[in-house]
Amino acid sequence: MTSITPSAPEPVVTTDFRTRVANRIPTPRASAPDVLRCAYMELAVTDLARSRDFYVNVLDLIVTEEDDEAVYLRSFEEFIHHNLVLRKGPVAAVAAFSYRVRSPEDLDLAVAFYEELGCRVERRKDGWTKGIGDSVRVDDPLGFPIEFFHDVQHVERLAWRYDLYTPGALVRLDHFNQVTPDVPRAVAYMEDLGFRVTEDIQDAEGTVYAAWMRRKPTVHDTAMTGGDGPRMHHVAFATHEKHNIIAICDKLGALRLSDHIERGPGRHGVSNAFYLYLRDPDGHRIEIYTQDYYTGDPDNPVVTWDVHDNQRRDWWGNPVVPSWYTDASLVLDLDGEPKAVITRMDSSEMAVTIGADGFSYTRKSDEDELPAWKQGEYKLGNQL
């Protein structure tokens, strides 16, 4: 039997994440709060009824509670009050990336940790949202609105309610993805907060384009993606199986809503997960995600991908649409005002892998050219 040897090197597996960090955020002397997992996101939406229809009637999230100003949604396996808050606002943006911590005492640690960093910190004993108690929100050193909470209202977990399940049922909130100009700086700060890198993308010069970081034992609770920021790239919900994602695509097609599909379905190289990217009525990006891998051992290796490996973003080598690299949601400060966006100074992943025209895909060397039958997927001129 003839064996087929891969034409490109495999991702590099190392024991830890090592890269240069310029302009490092000082490590606080105060202990970091013990973060359990990403728990919910609060989105500002400009048309609450339209957004509710998309998330409830198209994506089948469960309404826990709602009023004229906000809708509180959860996935089928969740037992806390919500995983997503849609709140009516004048501009589409993210109001909070929210993490649950292990104990009420961790909120005291969060206050001390961020006050030492000189960040704006606010604590509300009754929380910012329904169903969530004592909470701390901060404008973190990267410019993101981050929340920590422990006390929460429990609701019915619908994991056993198979009579309610739909073909594309979303079962868990899986992760956030944040756009930031300086990925190594962001990673070092998140490591001080207790997060660990599982995978990253670099080039031969050591430029870091993205890094995946976790607290729960999956590939990530959040990722730091290099770009103009602070902005939100996407929030991701998990399904049980990849056929659930295909069912969502079929449903969108049947409803003549296929324009909401931005990218996929496909399988990532990074994370090994099956994915689909959608855009909601305000343009907020939602990933539907399944089948990544366990990372909970203390010696879990870090996987580093070459930025020129065209299977890093899509394992099947399919192109990444330019909007996936350029578009992202604004984030709000604690007063609800949009944060200023800072330009990334390092190389952009799109520029080094897609090309200046936004369509021509590039490889690491001229010896490894795309076959003629595949070039049309990457270069607009071939399609015309």
Side-chain angles (χ1 to χ4, degrees), residues 136-213:
V136 173
R137 285 195 180 183
V138 304
D139 279 330
D140 85 351
L142 305 178
F144 292 98
I146 306 296
E147 180 181 85
F148 303 96
F149 73 93
H150 175 76
D151 294 335
V152 66
Q153 177 184 334
H154 286 202
V155 294
E156 181 186 4
R157 175 177 268 161
L158 299 173
W160 299 273
R161 290 296 309 273
Y162 292 106
D163 56 315
L164 301 178
Y165 271 53
T166 59
L170 305 183
V171 294
R172 291 182 302 279
L173 175 70
D174 191 84
H175 63 266
F176 309 135
N177 188 305
Q178 301 167 246
V179 184
T180 188
D182 188 334
V183 175
R185 182 172 185 262
V187 166
Y189 148 68
M190 293 297 286
E191 287 178 324
D192 288 341
L193 192 55
F195 285 69
R196 294 180 58 190
V197 175
T198 57
E199 303 198 28
D200 73 299
I201 296 174
Q202 300 191 31
D203 62 19
E205 289 71 43
T207 303
V208 183
Y209 295 87
W212 285 254
M213 310 193 74

Side-chain angles (χ1 to χ4, degrees), residues 8-66:
E10 296 295 313
V12 176
V13 177
T14 58
T15 55
D16 56 6
F17 177 87
R18 295 290 181 188
T19 187
R20 65 181 188 274
V21 182
N23 192 29
R24 183 186 177 100
I25 297 165
T27 300
R29 293 182 300 275
S31 297
D34 188 355
V35 175
L36 294 174
R37 59 171 172 129
C38 62
Y40 81 87
M41 176 171 282
E42 182 178 342
L43 287 178
V45 298
T46 57
D47 185 329
L48 187 60
R50 189 177 178 205
S51 292
R52 183 197 188 280
D53 180 64
F54 179 77
Y55 285 100
V56 176
N57 297 325
V58 178
L59 295 185
D60 298 318
L61 286 173
I62 307 300
V63 177
T64 302
E65 195 169 350
E66 60 185 318

Side-chain angles (χ1 to χ4, degrees), residues 165-350:
Y165 271 53
T166 59
L170 305 183
V171 294
R172 291 182 302 279
L173 175 70
D174 191 84
H175 63 266
F176 309 135
N177 188 305
Q178 301 167 246
V179 184
T180 188
D182 188 334
V183 175
R185 182 172 185 262
V187 166
Y189 148 68
M190 293 297 286
E191 287 178 324
D192 288 341
L193 192 55
F195 285 69
R196 294 180 58 190
V197 175
T198 57
E199 303 198 28
D200 73 299
I201 296 174
Q202 300 191 31
D203 62 19
E205 289 71 43
T207 303
V208 183
Y209 295 87
W212 285 254
M213 310 193 74
R214 64 93 176 168
R215 285 295 297 173
K216 68 182 186 303
T218 62
V219 171
H220 55 321
D221 285 274
T222 196
M224 294 295 170
T225 294
D228 301 345
R231 293 183 297 164
M232 186 273 285
H233 191 274
H234 64 263
V235 57
F237 286 88
T239 63
H240 277 148
E241 301 286 348
K242 55 182 177 289
H243 68 76
N244 302 121
I245 291 178
I246 294 169
I248 293 171
C249 293
D250 283 340
K251 182 176 182 179
L252 287 164
L255 294 173
R256 294 290 173 172
L257 296 174
S258 60
D259 285 351
H260 284 277
I261 299 174
E262 180 185 33
R263 182 182 164 210
R267 186 175 293 282
H268 286 307
V270 176
S271 81
N272 199 41
F274 201 80
Y275 71 86
L276 173 70
Y277 290 98
L278 307 175
R279 303 290 284 272
D280 82 356
D282 277 298
H284 294 307
R285 184 180 288 108
I286 313 300
E287 183 180 17
I288 316 299
Y289 180 97
T290 192
Q291 298 181 338
D292 63 352
Y293 59 89
Y294 171 78
T295 62
D297 286 13
D299 56 348
N300 180 73
V302 175
V303 180
T304 293
W305 295 77
D306 189 307
V307 72
H308 294 286
D309 185 342
N310 75 310
Q311 292 185 213
R312 74 200 184 284
R313 292 293 190 183
D314 184 277
W315 187 240
W316 307 333
N318 289 324
V320 180
V321 293
S323 63
W324 194 89
Y325 285 116
T326 59
D327 295 0
S329 298
L330 295 172
V331 301
L332 304 177
D333 64 19
L334 299 189
D335 294 320
E337 297 297 323
K339 297 294 290 284
V341 175
I342 300 169
T343 302
R344 175 175 166 88
M345 303 307 294
D346 289 334
S347 300
S348 75
E349 189 173 346
M350 188 174 94

